[in-house]
Amino acid sequence: MAEAGDPAPLPGNATFANDFRDPIIGADGTVVFDAGVSGGDDGLFKADPFGTITAIALENSTVATPEFGGNVFSRFSSPVVNASGQVLFDGSVEQTGAVTEANNEGLFLLDTSGSLSLVMREGDTVPGDPNKTFQDPAGSELIFNDDGTFAFAAEFDEAGFAEREGLFFGDTATGAIDLILAEGELFEVLPGDFRTIDGFDLRPSGGAGRFIALDVDFTDDSDAIILVTIPEPSSLTLLGLGGLTLLRRRR
C-alpha cells in the first residue's frame, strides 16, 4: 500500500518516511493509518479498498474544525473506522489564542464525503447535564460501530466530586451523547449485590451490533464482564453477566 520514499498525498514533493503506525482496517476494506512524512511531521491517512490514499490531517499544517478558531492540529491518535468508511479519531490542537491546555483536545469525525467535524471537546459541558464538563478523552478506548454509533471513555468534572472517568455513547446521525456509567457509581452485579465501580476498560465489539463489552473493576477488588446493549437509538440498558463472569482478581 505504501512504503518509505513513496509520494505522500500532500502539497509539494512530500514523501512517506519510514514510520508507519496504528493501521486499522474497516469491514469495507478501508484502511486508516498514521505515518511520518518528509519534513518530520506526522499525518493521518485513509486508503480506500482500491489503494487510493488521501490525507485526513497533517500535524502543524491542517486547520482543525471551526470551533478551534483556525488553529492547526498538533497531534492525533487511535483512529477507528467503520464499515461505511467513516473515521473517528482523538486529536489535539495547537495551544494559542483561546485554545489552551484545558480545551485543546477532542474527538473528530471524518464523514464519507471527506468533511471533518467535532464530536466532543475537552472543556465543553456534557450534553444533558450542565454540572458535568468533559476533560481528556481516552483515545485508546474508542469503539465505532457500523451504524454510526460509537462509545468512548473520557474523564469529566462534576461539582462536588473529584475528576473521574466515564463511558459515553454517541450517535453520529443525531449528535447525541449519553453518559452510560462512571467511576464511583453503584452497579448491581446480581440481584441485591451492588458494587462500586473503580475503573473499566473497553473491549473490542467487532462493530457489527449495538453492543459494548466492558471489563469493570470494583472497589472490593472484584471484576466483572459487563455487556452494554443498545436495542434502539438512545435506549441504554446495562446487563451484568452474572456469576459466570464475575471474577476475583488474583494478587
Side-chain angles (χ1 to χ4, degrees), residues 149-185:
T149 59
F150 58 93
F152 65 95
E155 295 178 345
F156 66 92
D157 283 332
E158 182 177 11
F161 293 88
E163 186 174 279
R164 51 194 174 132
E165 189 173 43
L167 174 67
F168 296 86
F169 173 80
D171 191 332
T172 58
T174 64
I177 294 178
D178 295 297
L179 176 62
I180 297 175
L181 57 80
E183 292 176 341
E185 292 183 346

Side-chain angles (χ1 to χ4, degrees), residues 2 10 13 27 39 47 97 116 134 150-151 156 161 198 218 221-222 235:
L10 298 167
N13 297 315
L116 197 63
F134 282 120
F150 58 93
F156 66 92
F161 293 88
D198 191 42
F218 298 105
D221 202 31
S222 63
S235 176

Side-chain angles (χ1 to χ4, degrees), residues 16 20 23 28 49 55 69 78 81 93 151 162 175 193 201 208 219 223 237:
F16 285 115
F20 296 93
D28 69 341
S78 305
V81 59
V93 178
D193 183 359
D201 293 304
T219 55
D223 295 347
T237 304

